[in-house]
């Protein structure tokens, strides 16, 4: 069974640009989560999507947004990039019913903002 | 508010020695607890999880963890370290599936010496 997949693996952008990161969950999983792992800041919860709706949001500015598509894949968009947005962005998925709390992570997208 | 504390940002053991990585949590209600491992330049892999079924939880790669409510601890152990265990380990807590949010500790880097 394929795990969570993310694209691209690496990305270099400059300040002020916009970026879109993509995530495909494990087959059968309907929830998608996004986390930021920045150097020195640890793993921070960004967003949770379930059944196409945003269910919860972490303490991040509105320029971090996303969406979930009918096939449960998801995009994370970051506008007006700042240097401190440089981080590993991790996507996770979980099944919707009996084991919802267990999140399975993808390999991440490493974003460098210059 | 929930929090997770991992005691020791770096732990060094000899190959074949006992591995003990410490995790304490604060939660007002019985939590869901997880250990994840992150190898260099990779995402997070689920090692094991506690969801109130049994206090001693066995995971992959010979790891196990014991939930001790009285001590609010969920320490990770492995009887005999292998070189391939060298990685960063994260303890995480979720109070329920209603927030979608995992709260992570700061991580412990395990070094295994030959």
């Amino acid at each position: 069974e394929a795990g969570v997949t993310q694209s691209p693996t690496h990305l270099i952008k400059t300040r002020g640009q916009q970026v879109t990161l993509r995530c495909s969950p494990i087959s059968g999983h309907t929830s998608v989560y996004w986390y930021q792992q920045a150097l020195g800041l640890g793993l921070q919860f960004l967003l949770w999507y379930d059944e196409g709706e945003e269910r919860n949001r972490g303490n991040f500015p509105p320029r971090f947004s996303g969406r979930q598509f009918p096939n449960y894949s998801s995009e994370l968009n970051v506008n007006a990039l700042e240097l401190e947005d440089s981080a590993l962005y991790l996507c996770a998925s979980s099944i919707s019913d009996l084991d919802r709390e267990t999140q399975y992570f993808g390999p991440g997208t490493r974003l460098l903002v210059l | 508010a929930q929090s997770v504390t991992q005691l020791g940002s770096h732990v060094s053991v000899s190959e074949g020695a006992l591995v003990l990585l410490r995790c304490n949590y604060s939660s007002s209600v019985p939590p869901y607890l997880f250990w994840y491992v992150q190898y260099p330049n990779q995402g997070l892999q689920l090692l094991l999880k506690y969801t109130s079924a049994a206090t001693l939880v066995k995971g992959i790669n010979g790891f196990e963890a014991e939930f001790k409510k009285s001590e609010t601890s969920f320490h990770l152990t492995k009887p005999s370290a292998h070189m391939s265990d060298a990685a960063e380990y994260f303890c995480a807590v979720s109070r329920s599936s209603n927030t979608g949010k995992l709260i992570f500790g700061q991580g412990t880097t395990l070094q295994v010496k030959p």
Side-chain angles (χ1 to χ4, degrees):
Chain A
E1 180 183 284
V4 177
T5 59
Q6 293 186 244
S7 63
T9 56
H10 295 80
L11 210 49
I12 300 175
K13 293 284 187 178
T14 56
R15 284 180 60 192
Q17 285 189 311
Q18 178 264 344
V19 69
T20 298
L21 311 181
R22 295 177 175 81
C23 171
S24 291
I26 292 171
S27 178
H29 288 195
T30 60
S31 280
V32 170
Y33 312 82
W34 288 94
Y35 291 82
Q36 182 195 66
Q37 186 178 27
L39 201 60
L41 295 178
L43 282 147
Q44 304 292 327
F45 169 77
L46 262 168
L47 289 159
W48 170 29
Y49 292 95
D50 182 60
E51 299 285 355
E53 300 287 332
E54 182 180 303
R55 303 296 186 183
N56 196 11
R57 181 181 184 84
N59 188 25
F60 281 84
R63 58 191 186 81
F64 286 84
S65 65
R67 55 179 173 167
Q68 187 178 33
F69 298 98
N71 67 354
Y72 304 113
S73 66
S74 176
E75 285 182 351
L76 174 68
N77 299 293
V78 188
N79 294 320
L81 283 166
E82 300 179 1
L83 296 178
E84 54 265 34
D85 296 334
S86 294
L88 180 67
Y89 289 85
L90 291 164
C91 173
S93 71
S94 73
I95 205 161
S96 64
D97 45 19
L98 296 176
D99 195 23
R100 169 178 281 185
E101 66 279 350
T102 303
Q103 298 181 19
Y104 298 89
F105 285 79
T109 293
R110 190 165 296 279
L111 172 65
L112 177 62
V113 182
L114 301 175
Chain B
Q2 295 177 90
S3 69
V4 178
T5 302
Q6 291 183 239
L7 298 175
S9 58
H10 288 84
V11 170
S12 182
V13 301
S14 297
E15 191 173 19
L18 171 72
V19 175
L20 171 60
L21 304 182
R22 300 176 187 273
C23 173
N24 288 88
Y25 67 93
S26 67
S27 175
S28 57
V29 296
Y32 299 103
L33 291 159
F34 306 86
W35 276 100
Y36 287 89
V37 61
Q38 186 175 34
Y39 297 101
N41 299 313
Q42 293 188 26
L44 300 178
Q45 181 182 9
L46 179 67
L47 275 177
L48 49 79
K49 63 182 179 182
Y50 168 77
T51 55
S52 76
T55 56
L56 183 62
V57 181
K58 294 188 183 300
I60 62 171
N61 302 339
F63 285 94
E64 62 181 38
E66 186 173 7
F67 173 71
K68 292 187 177 180
K69 185 178 178 180
S70 61
E71 299 177 6
T72 60
S73 69
F74 190 57
H75 302 331
L76 182 71
T77 60
K78 181 174 181 178
S80 176
H82 192 272
M83 297 297 292
S84 61
D85 294 327
E88 190 161 19
Y89 292 79
F90 291 93
C91 181
V93 64
S94 171
R95 194 185 79 174
S96 77
S97 59
N98 291 333
T99 68
K101 179 180 178 180
L102 287 178
I103 297 171
F104 286 87
Q106 286 301 104
T108 298
T109 299
L110 175 65
Q111 180 189 24
V112 182
K113 299 176 291 185

